[in-house]
Amino acid sequence: MKSSSVEQLILDLYAQHSTEEAHFTAQEVYHHIKPRLPSVNQSTIYRALERMTRAGKVSVSDMGLGAAVYEAVGNEHHHHLVCQECGRVQTIKDESVGRLFRQIERENNFEVLTNHLVLFGRCHACRSKSDPD
Amino acid sequence: MKSSSVEQLILDLYAQHSTEEAHFTAQEVYHHIKPRLPSVNQSTIYRALERMTRAGKVSVSDMGLGAAVYEAVGNEHHHHLVCQECGRVQTIKDESVGRLFRQIERENNFEVLTNHLVLFGRCHACRSKSDPD
DNA sequence: CTGAATGCAAAGACTTTGCATCAGC
DNA sequence: GCTGATGCAAAGTCTTTGCATTCAG
């Protein structure tokens, strides 16, 4: 099936950014697309993102921003560490995560579809600042 | 520091449920507390939950309900598998998750504070139904 | 022609906030 | 009296939805 023009623009947006850093809220996607397609409406963005999520083209997750973030689904899975104090986001590539998911699938008879793990905590800088162990 | 009466009622609510199943949205907490403390206001619940989260008494996570869910922080960490098709929630206790978190902490110099992992996917029943591998 | 995608406007849901009041120390 | 907690009402965001229109096959 051919993608709608909006879907293509969304994919272009992701293509313009490094895979690991490209995670946008629906609102951010909207503000990026709007200048390229001035007639576009917010609801169209929400509907396109939902369609693409169902189709496995993008994944959605909660990074603690009060809004869902979407990113393109690529071959390389990666995960994020979000600092609750300074908001810094670190990207980690960790095969261990995939291994754990496979193990959980086996042990629980459950197909894990989450492919983007977001963990919250405190980054090194914030730990050094407030609580020098 | 002494807890406010609202905090105590919230803790009571969690005490009344098995630790593993007690995850409520702020709205659900409100509707549980309201009959016990009719004067209570929604904003008080939100403020109490935020305070308790900061104090490490409850943890917050996104279970795909469109609202944050809060649960009491206990000694035993547990995690949830949420079926995207039927909504079923499975609880898993998995030391592997804790081990992975510790490993991520070491490798990334980051203190992981997330202690409740939520993974989305398809449960056994839904897999059998729609896609008998 | 028919189903999917879109625009538009409105509504819905969750959450936050400013301000006044109240309670505890 | 001061600080934190609460009530109240309003606003702010994010997101969904109903309906009419347009687009593609």
Side-chain angles (χ1 to χ4, degrees):
Chain A
M1 181 205 277
K2 190 163 150 294
S3 300
S4 73
S5 64
V6 170
E7 287 198 23
Q8 190 52 56
L9 285 169
I10 292 175
L11 293 174
D12 290 350
L13 167 61
Y14 286 114
Q16 289 159 21
H17 294 77
S18 86
T19 309
E20 314 190 339
E21 306 304 329
H23 32 81
F24 305 113
T25 66
Q27 300 289 326
E28 289 169 339
V29 171
Y30 173 66
H31 292 304
H32 273 86
I33 302 289
K34 186 71 174 173
R36 277 91 174 168
L37 188 64
S39 72
V40 83
N41 189 270
Q42 270 193 139
S43 61
T44 301
I45 301 296
Y46 279 99
R47 287 192 273 232
L49 287 170
E50 198 232 327
R51 208 185 310 140
M52 294 167 83
T53 301
R54 265 189 287 109
K57 297 174 186 171
V58 304
S59 74
V60 55
S61 43
D62 173 18
M63 294 185 64
L65 299 175
V69 299
Y70 298 84
E71 50 193 293
V73 169
N75 299 322
E76 307 241 309
H77 286 178
H78 61 281
H79 312 283
H80 289 115
L81 304 179
V82 179
C83 179
Q84 289 173 330
E85 288 184 21
C86 69
R88 180 173 166 228
V89 176
Q90 279 175 260
T91 301
I92 62 175
K93 254 184 221 156
D94 195 340
E95 279 65 41
S96 315
V97 176
R99 274 200 299 277
L100 176 68
F101 285 2
R102 298 297 84 77
Q103 182 189 331
I104 288 175
E105 290 186 323
R106 282 195 308 277
E107 293 177 355
N108 298 277
N109 219 327
F110 184 95
E111 179 187 8
V112 175
L113 296 175
T114 295
N115 51 26
H116 175 213
L117 187 65
V118 179
L119 298 178
F120 298 92
R122 289 200 304 159
C123 72
H124 180 54
C126 287
R127 294 178 66 192
S128 310
K129 227 180 306 168
S130 59
D131 181 44
D133 300 295
Chain B
M1 182 205 276
K2 191 164 151 291
S3 300
S4 74
S5 65
V6 170
E7 286 198 23
Q8 191 51 56
L9 285 169
I10 293 175
L11 293 174
D12 290 350
L13 166 62
Y14 285 115
Q16 288 160 20
H17 294 78
S18 87
T19 310
E20 313 191 339
E21 306 303 329
H23 32 81
F24 305 113
T25 65
Q27 300 289 325
E28 288 169 341
V29 171
Y30 173 66
H31 292 304
H32 274 86
I33 303 290
K34 184 71 175 173
R36 278 94 172 165
L37 187 63
S39 71
V40 81
N41 189 271
Q42 270 194 137
S43 60
T44 301
I45 300 297
Y46 279 100
R47 288 192 271 230
L49 287 171
E50 198 232 327
R51 209 186 309 140
M52 295 167 83
T53 301
R54 264 188 286 107
K57 297 174 186 171
V58 303
S59 73
V60 55
S61 44
D62 172 19
M63 294 185 64
L65 298 176
V69 299
Y70 299 84
E71 50 193 294
V73 169
N75 299 321
E76 306 241 308
H77 286 179
H78 62 280
H79 312 282
H80 288 114
L81 304 179
V82 179
C83 179
Q84 289 173 331
E85 288 185 21
C86 70
R88 181 174 166 227
V89 176
Q90 279 173 260
T91 300
I92 62 176
K93 253 185 222 153
D94 197 341
E95 279 66 41
S96 314
V97 176
R99 273 200 299 278
L100 176 67
F101 285 3
R102 299 295 85 74
Q103 181 190 329
I104 289 175
E105 289 185 323
R106 284 195 306 278
E107 293 177 355
N108 298 277
N109 218 327
F110 184 95
E111 179 187 8
V112 174
L113 296 174
T114 295
N115 50 26
H116 174 214
L117 186 64
V118 180
L119 297 178
F120 298 91
R122 289 199 306 159
C123 71
H124 179 55
C126 286
R127 292 178 67 192
S128 310
K129 227 180 309 169
S130 60
D131 181 43
D133 300 295

